[in-house]
Amino acid sequence: MTKTIMLFFAGTILLAACNNAATNAANNASENSQTVFNLDTARKAVDESNRRFEAAVRAADSTALAASYSSDAAVMPSNSPAIPGSGIAAFWGAVLHMGVKDAKLSTTDLQGNQDWLIETGNYELFAEGNKSIDKGKYVVAWKNENGQWKMYRDIWNTDMPAAK
């Protein structure tokens, strides 16, 4: 009887060890199959999005500008309440109508993970004839939405002196 009990316990321990090893192997395989986050790759995606944004300004395409934002985005311009996603295209349409013909965006820092990025940078806006009309700094919270980096919160303010 003692041998039977000993064999039972040994078998139980062996079974538990095998089960634990199989679980660990499955967990490791699952972790390895997930895409590893790479900040350099994310930076390239943000840079590409910024170049498309600049091109949309030059093309005076407020719909393309709005497409840079996530479905639940908001822009937060100076001297204005936050503008939710449904109003972003109209906002940029008004900016373009005021004479903005080009934009230059320069990322100074980008930090984050596979779900969120925080970009800080500088901007400059131009009117007809490449005349600089505004420059300042911005912060954008980027959200990974369906595998694409989209702007979730976009806030900026000018470096120009206040109008008198």
Side-chain angles (χ1 to χ4, degrees):
M1 177 80 166
T2 305
K3 271 188 173 179
T4 306
I5 293 172
M6 295 287 265
L7 284 173
F8 174 76
F9 283 125
T12 302
I13 291 170
L14 182 60
L15 183 60
C18 288
N19 187 32
N20 191 29
T23 300
N24 287 340
N27 287 341
N28 289 340
S30 175
E31 288 173 12
N32 289 336
S33 69
Q34 294 176 358
T35 304
V36 176
F37 175 72
N38 183 308
L39 188 59
D40 291 332
T41 302
R43 179 179 286 274
K44 287 177 187 173
V46 167
D47 288 342
E48 289 171 7
S49 183
N50 285 342
R51 300 303 74 85
R52 285 190 304 274
F53 192 91
E54 293 167 344
V57 170
R58 287 189 297 277
D61 188 345
S62 61
T63 302
L65 290 167
S68 299
Y69 294 88
S70 68
S71 58
D72 53 351
V75 295
M76 302 174 179
S78 299
N79 306 313
S80 172
I83 300 163
S86 60
I88 291 175
F91 168 78
W92 285 114
V95 169
L96 296 169
H97 184 73
M98 291 180 350
V100 173
K101 301 294 184 192
D102 201 357
K104 173 87 170 120
L105 303 173
S106 302
T107 303
T108 57
D109 187 51
L110 184 71
Q111 299 295 321
N113 59 38
Q114 67 276 1
D115 298 317
W116 295 95
L117 297 170
I118 301 297
E119 175 194 19
T120 56
N122 298 300
Y123 73 87
E124 188 166 7
L125 302 178
F126 301 89
E128 194 71 43
N130 206 33
K131 178 185 174 195
S132 179
I133 56 174
D134 189 21
K135 60 174 119 179
K137 62 267 183 206
Y138 65 87
V139 175
V140 174
W142 293 83
K143 179 180 182 180
N144 191 335
E145 187 173 78
N146 301 319
Q148 290 188 323
W149 289 108
K150 298 283 191 166
M151 288 187 272
Y152 173 69
R153 296 291 184 263
D154 185 7
I155 187 167
W156 62 93
N157 54 59
T158 186
D159 289 345
M160 307 294 279
K164 293 182 181 187

